[in-house]
């Protein structure tokens, strides 16, 4: 099959979607370029038009997913405020929504523990958290929050929402299915932190 025909039929996006699912269900070590090709119904050689090796494919998935999450967090800064929620609470809810509505992506980004692939995630995790921290600090400054300069505050928030996602992601519940619990959780996190300053 000519290279152009293969590229038209087998897009990077399609390869990445299939590989993302396989990395989660079978683990990074349990997957090869050959098995990804078989899953898609193509020879593994077809994948090499887009990715030189499995590690490059995995890293492309990681970068794409972190970029998506970062974009969603940035969009919170541009939206009008939602009644009954602070912008900080909106940001936490957006993060939770991403985790529950994209469980395969979230697991690859934050929950896989294979030493061979952690190096691919650490840099992107750090970039994502830095963006989250910057947005949180901006909101806290706008709200004139007493803890706006506290460096541990964004990390505490992040750990609180990560724990929530980690608990519910196992049951493959969507954000809409547990929205009241998510709102209650971020409200509890916010109120607990506000009480620390009173």
């Amino acid at each position: 099959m000519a290279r152009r025909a293969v590229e038209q039929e087998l897009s990077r996006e399609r390869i990445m979607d299939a590989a993302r699912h396989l990395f989660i269900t079978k683990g990074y070590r349990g997957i090869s370029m050959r098995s990804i090709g078989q899953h898609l119904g193509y020879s593994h050689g077809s994948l090499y038009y887009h990715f030189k090796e499995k590690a490059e494919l995995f890293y492309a998935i990681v970068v794409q997913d972190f970029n998506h999450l970062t974009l969603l967090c940035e969009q919170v800064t541009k939206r009008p405020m939602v009644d009954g929620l602070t912008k900080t609470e909106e940001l936490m809810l957006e993060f939770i929504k991403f985790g529950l509505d994209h469980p395969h992506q979230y697991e690859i980004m934050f929950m896989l523990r294979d030493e061979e692939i952690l190096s691919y995630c650490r840099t992107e995790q750090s970039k994502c958290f830095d963006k989250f921290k910057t947005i949180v600090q901006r909101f806290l400054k706008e709200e004139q929050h007493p803890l706006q300069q506290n460096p541990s505050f964004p990390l505490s928030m992040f750990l609180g929402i990560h724990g929530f996602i980690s608990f519910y992601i196992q049951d493959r519940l969507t954000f809409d299915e547990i929205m009241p619990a998510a709102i209650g959780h971020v409200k509890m996190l916010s109120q607990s932190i506000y009480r620390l300053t009173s």
Side-chain angles (χ1 to χ4, degrees), residues 136-137 140-151 153:
V136 166
Q137 289 174 331
L140 294 177
K141 186 175 181 181
E142 291 170 0
E143 297 166 11
Q144 298 184 334
H145 193 287
L147 291 179
Q148 62 183 279
Q149 299 299 328
N150 188 322
F153 182 51

Side-chain angles (χ1 to χ4, degrees), residues 76 85-93 132 135-136 139-140 143 153 157 186 190 194:
V76 174
L85 294 172
T86 67
K87 291 300 270 184
T88 306
E89 290 166 347
E90 286 183 55
L91 179 65
M92 289 191 282
L93 286 172
F132 179 84
I135 295 173
V136 166
F139 290 156
L140 294 177
E143 297 166 11
F153 182 51
M157 289 177 55
V186 301
S190 294
Y194 269 95

Side-chain angles (χ1 to χ4, degrees), residues 33-49:
M33 293 294 269
R34 183 180 299 279
S35 62
I36 296 168
Q38 288 173 344
H39 181 79
L40 288 163
Y42 287 83
S43 72
H44 65 286
S46 305
L47 278 61
Y48 291 112
Y49 289 133

